[in-house]
Each structure stands twice: as C-alpha cells, then as structure tokens.
C-alpha cells in the first residue's frame, strides 16, 4: 500500500504538477487606462470611465442605480449611512467575515451585534438573526460568505416584519444567485468590493446597489460617498446637511473595472464548476463535512471551506492541514483567526482610542461562546483556494489528497 503512505511520513506526494495560473489583466485593461488618461481628467464626475463601469454593472445586475466607491468597506459604510443607521442603533451581522463588514457600523457609532451561523453553509439564518433583534435593531448586514448565498426569503420576511433594512455584503459573492435572483439585488442595498483579492480587481474599489429604485435614495447614497456633493441635482455644492466621507472611485479604477467586468461571467462560471466538482468529490469521505450550498443557491466559490469531524479522525485540525499541504495541496486552517467579537476591539469595547463610545450606550454581550457554531467552524475548518485558472486535474488531485489524508487519520470502528 505504498501509495497510502502520507507524504508527511515520506510517501509519494499526490500533487506533482503545478496548479494552473494565468493573467488577470491584459491589453483590455491597458487600453481602457490609456483612454482614461487621454481624457485629461481622472475625476469620475468629469470623465466617462466610472460612469461606463456603473452602467455596465447596472445592466449586468439589472438594477437601476448603483454608486461607485473606493473600497468594499466604503460601500458598506455608504449603504448604512444611506439607510439612516446612526448612533446607538444596532446592526446584526456575521461573526465570520472580513472586518470591513463592521467598520462602517462603528463609524456610524452604531453597535455590531453578531448572529450565529448555520454550521455547514456558514451563513446567518432568519432564526439566528431573530434571536438578536431588539427595539434598537436598524439593519442587518448579511454576508454571502465564499460566494454561498444566505437563505434570503425568510430573512427578507423577518426584515419586513420588524421594519429593518437589509444590506447584502457581496464582496465574495459575484454573480451568486438565490432562487435565480442575483445576490446584491434582493436586500435594500448590495455591496461589492473590487480589492485585489476578489473575483475581479481594480486594485481597490467597490459598488453599492440602491435596490429601492427610487431616485432620491440614489441621490442620498451617491452624496454619502462624495462629501455630500449632490452632483446629479445640478446645483453642485448645496448645503452640507449631514456628515458624509469621501469614498470616490477614480477614473483609473473605473477604467480597469470596465475590462474586468467583461471577464466576470467566465470567472464565476469556471469557479462554480471547479467548486461543485470538489464538493461532489469529497461528499462521502468519513471525517469530512463538505461546505453546504444553500438550497436553490448557485455559488461562485471565492474559496472552498470544509470542516473536519474530529470525532471521526485521530488527528488534530493542524495535523490534517499540514499533511494535506505536504501532499502538495496548499490550504489554510480556518478563514479569519477568530470570530470578530473575540477581537480586542469588542473585548475591550474600544472602537476609538481611549474611548468606549458607542459601546457605553448600553450593555452588549461579546462573550466567547455566544455564537457557538461560528466558533466551531473556525476551529475545525480547512480552507482551500479556488482559482478560475485551476485545471480539472488540479481539482481531481485535491480530491485524491483529501481522501488520502482523511483515510489515513480515519478512526477504525471498534
Ligand atoms: C473583502 C471584503 C470586504 C471589504 O472589502 P474591501 O474592498 O477590502 O474594503 C467586506 N466584506 C467581505 C465579506 C469581504 O470579503
């Protein structure tokens, strides 16, 4: 049984060929960039690139209005600002997400409240959200983690019942659908990121959809990303009626975005194919819980994350991760180091240096153990990269290696 000796123990590696790679940027982006420079302005309101980028994005997503921003974090802040989230309000979100999800909440001096996750889809559910609703809840930020959609119908029903706004964090869920509808078009606002690690990149950048389709909501959202300049309403530089940051996208980002958007469909289609094959290939391996895709959901796999059933394995998560890496399959233990509420900012209740505002407005529970499923996910997860440039063989090798490592560490039935 030569082939069953782990590479970790001196056996033959499963993966002997390099993973597929490719170029994300080409002459398409260069041509757009050159045109942007030739405009003799890089300001979005005078040039045409950001406008074109948004027009293309709107037609791809079939939405009437969206606003370009400088990042995904900015997009989320803009959505919350436009939704009227303010000091002392509570915003319910996921404990497993990029910290950018909560930055805007705290900058509005509102309070992040964390809802537990489904143990296998890693998404918030209407049930876990409802447990956290209080009279102060103003909004929910759902996170379609790794491109897997949240079960939105019950969440939207809940939001309607309690009169709460829904912001979708779609930074990882480009072209993801739920019951045939694109994520980012289901809630009140959909927020996207084009930072360099997402499906498409403009270096940094983001977009917010304004799903009410109401022109005045669009103007408010737009103004919130642009120091309260209300540029569509002709009389630029009206009175400054409320605080709004400068989160503008430049023409350079817009130019690259135009070319990147044209590639989005194949990127997501390819990632879906690869992710689905991986999911199916490891579906019945003992000791492995595959990532569960939400019913009637279509996942664009920003990454693939499984969890280990450690009761069926003789190894620790770290041993499993190392053994898999030795087989030639790069992987990470978990996603973020710990659930967000375990971070010092929440444990010390200190959003601003030397100040406990807004946490001192009430009593908020960030105790470890408060979202047990989320904590368990991060303690048992193995995260695998998915890239649109991977070959079919790359995925087959991943499946063989996961099988090999899991079989080796599988507890025999006593
Ligand atoms: C990347 C990301 C963000 C933040 O986007 P930036 O462009 O880096 O600010 C927010 N939420 C999620 C889920 C992300 O993956």
């Amino acid at each position: 049984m030569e082939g069953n000796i782990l590479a970790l123990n001196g056996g033959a590696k499963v993966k002997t060929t390099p993973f597929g790679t490719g170029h994300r940027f080409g002459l398409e982006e260069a041509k757009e960039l050159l045109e942007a420079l030739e405009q003799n302005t890089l300001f979005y309101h005078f040039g045409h690139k950001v406008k074109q980028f948004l027009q293309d994005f709107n037609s791809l997503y079939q939405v009437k209005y969206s606003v370009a921003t400088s990042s995904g974090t900015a997009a989320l802040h803009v959505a919350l600002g436009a939704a009227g989230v303010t000091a002392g309000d509570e915003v319910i979100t996921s404990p497993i997400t990029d910290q950018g999800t909560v930055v805007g909440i705290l900058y509005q001096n509102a309070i992040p409240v964390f809802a537990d996750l489904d143990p296998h889809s890693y998404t918030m559910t209407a049930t876990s959200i409802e447990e956290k609703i209080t009279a102060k809840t103003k909004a929910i930020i759902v996170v379609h983690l790794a491109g897997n959609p949240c079960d939105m119908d019950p969440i939207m029903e809940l939001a309607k019942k309690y009169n709460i706004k829904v912001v979708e964090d779609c930074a990882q869920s480009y072209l993801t659908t739920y019951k045939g509808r694109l994520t980012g078009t289901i809630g009140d606002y959909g927020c996207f990121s084009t930072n360099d690690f997402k499906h498409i990149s403009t270096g940094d950048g983001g977009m917010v959809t304004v799903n009410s389709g109401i022109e005045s909501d669009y103007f408010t959202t737009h103004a919130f990303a642009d120091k309260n300049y209300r540029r569509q309403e002709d009389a630029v530089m009206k009175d400054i009626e409320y605080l709004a940051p400068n989160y503008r996208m430049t023409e350079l980002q817009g130019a690259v975005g135009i070319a990147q958007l044209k590639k989005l469909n194949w990127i997501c289609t390819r990632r879906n194919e690869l992710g689905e094959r991986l999911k199916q290939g490891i579906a019945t391996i003992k000791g492995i819980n595959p990532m569960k895709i939400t019913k009637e959901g279509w996942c664009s796999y920003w990454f693939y994350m499984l969890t280990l059933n450690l009761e069926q394995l003789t190894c620790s998560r770290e041993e499993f991760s190392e053994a898999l890496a030795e087989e030639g399959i790069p992987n990470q233990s978990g996603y973020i180091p710990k659930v967000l509420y375990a971070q010092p900012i929440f444990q010390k209740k200190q959003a601003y240096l030397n100040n406990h505002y807004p946490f001192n407005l009430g009593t908020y529970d960030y105790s470890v153990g408060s979202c047990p499923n989320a904590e368990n996910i991060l303690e048992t997860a193995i995260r695998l990269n998915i890239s649109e440039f991977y070959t079919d063989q790359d995925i087959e090798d991943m499946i063989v290696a996961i099988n090999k490592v899991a079989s080796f560490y599988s507890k025999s039935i006593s």
Side-chain angles (χ1 to χ4, degrees):
M1 298 282 275
E2 180 74 12
N4 287 339
I5 301 172
L6 292 182
L8 186 72
N9 299 331
K13 256 181 182 219
V14 169
K15 185 118 185 83
T16 54
T17 56
F19 279 91
T21 57
H23 289 283
R24 306 177 78 186
F25 311 110
L27 287 175
E28 315 77 60
E29 283 79 8
K31 178 180 158 284
E32 293 290 341
L33 280 168
L34 191 60
E35 283 178 13
L37 293 166
E38 282 168 346
Q39 295 176 143
N40 209 29
T41 175
L42 294 177
F43 177 45
Y44 81 95
H45 190 61
F46 294 158
H48 300 287
K49 293 303 180 189
V50 172
K51 287 172 192 154
Q52 183 68 51
F53 172 60
L54 287 180
Q55 203 177 309
D56 294 350
F57 179 78
N58 289 353
S59 78
L60 181 65
Y61 270 80
Q62 291 290 299
V63 295
K64 201 164 166 193
Y65 299 118
S66 62
V67 171
T69 61
S70 52
S71 71
T73 304
L76 286 152
H77 188 187
V78 167
L80 294 173
V85 169
T86 183
D89 289 342
E90 294 174 14
V91 179
I92 300 174
T93 193
S94 168
I96 302 184
T97 180
D98 183 89
Q99 65 260 46
T101 308
V102 298
V103 167
I105 303 174
L106 286 166
Y107 269 111
Q108 288 304 102
N109 285 309
I111 316 288
V113 172
F114 297 96
D116 208 359
L117 306 178
D118 176 276
H120 301 300
S121 73
Y122 323 134
T123 55
M124 307 150 74
T125 67
T127 313
S128 72
I129 294 168
E130 190 162 25
E131 284 167 14
K132 302 292 171 123
I133 290 178
T134 72
K136 297 208 162 153
T137 307
K138 188 70 175 267
I140 305 166
I141 304 180
V142 295
V143 179
H144 306 299
L145 196 77
N148 190 21
C150 295
D151 189 6
M152 289 303 289
D153 277 352
I155 294 173
M156 293 310 293
E157 229 168 84
L158 195 69
K160 201 170 164 195
K161 179 172 153 194
Y162 291 97
N163 193 24
I164 299 167
K165 296 281 185 197
V166 176
V167 175
E168 295 182 76
D169 183 339
C170 302
Q172 303 181 5
S173 71
Y174 279 100
L175 297 188
T176 286
T177 59
Y178 169 80
K179 297 190 179 178
R181 294 150 72 202
L182 285 163
T183 55
T185 67
I186 302 167
D188 296 283
Y189 301 90
C191 300
F192 296 79
S193 163
T194 55
N195 90 18
D196 207 49
F197 306 96
K198 309 303 193 207
H199 292 75
I200 53 170
S201 165
T202 62
D204 267 310
M207 297 81 84
V208 194
T209 61
V210 184
N211 296 333
S212 70
I214 298 169
E215 192 180 54
S216 61
D217 287 348
Y218 166 57
F219 289 161
T220 302
T221 310
H222 184 276
F224 196 86
D226 192 1
K227 298 186 284 185
N228 230 324
Y229 277 91
R230 307 186 77 96
R231 299 187 198 273
Q232 298 90 342
E233 296 156 85
D234 290 339
V236 170
M237 197 59 200
K238 284 190 176 176
D239 293 343
I240 304 162
E241 287 169 30
Y242 54 86
L243 184 65
N246 174 354
Y247 285 154
R248 299 185 304 224
M249 181 182 271
T250 75
E251 288 290 277
L252 296 174
Q253 293 159 295
V256 173
I258 292 169
Q260 286 278 289
L261 265 189
K262 295 194 169 85
K263 304 174 184 179
L264 188 58
N265 199 28
W266 91 260
I267 290 171
C268 293
T269 304
R270 183 64 182 146
R271 281 171 173 261
N272 171 265
E273 250 169 39
L274 296 170
E276 287 297 309
R277 171 62 193 132
L278 179 56
K279 184 185 82 172
Q280 182 218 343
I282 63 171
T284 58
I285 300 176
K286 201 177 140 200
I288 304 285
N289 306 311
M291 174 167 150
K292 189 181 103 193
I293 303 308
T294 300
K295 200 162 161 254
E296 295 182 76
W298 187 94
C299 179
S300 56
Y301 289 97
W302 191 57
F303 57 71
Y304 184 96
M305 193 158 81
L306 56 85
T307 58
L308 299 176
N309 184 341
L310 291 170
E311 277 157 30
Q312 295 179 351
L313 298 169
T314 60
C315 62
S316 68
R317 189 261 301 265
E318 276 56 40
E319 286 168 324
F320 193 103
S321 170
E322 197 194 335
L324 194 57
E326 289 294 318
E327 296 298 338
I329 310 298
N331 69 92
Q332 298 85 34
S333 288
Y335 165 44
I336 50 173
K338 46 188 159 189
V339 286
L340 280 187
Y341 58 80
Q343 290 286 350
I345 183 172
F346 294 108
Q347 292 301 306
K348 295 181 183 166
K349 296 190 177 172
Q350 186 175 279
Y352 302 94
L353 282 174
N354 306 318
N355 195 311
H356 293 288
Y357 193 82
F359 295 116
N360 54 12
L361 292 174
T363 48
Y364 307 102
D365 179 20
Y366 295 118
S367 56
V368 172
S370 54
C371 294
N373 290 347
E375 291 177 24
N376 193 255
I377 290 163
L378 290 183
E379 282 159 17
T380 59
I382 298 281
R383 181 161 57 105
L384 298 148
N385 305 330
I386 298 280
S387 159
E388 59 274 17
F389 297 116
Y390 282 3
T391 64
D392 293 350
Q393 189 58 46
D394 291 337
I395 297 293
E396 297 310 317
D397 291 345
M398 285 162 85
I399 294 167
V400 170
I402 293 165
N403 213 337
K404 180 182 173 186
V405 173
S407 315
F408 180 82
Y409 289 120
S410 179
K411 269 187 190 164
S412 54
I413 302 144
S414 50

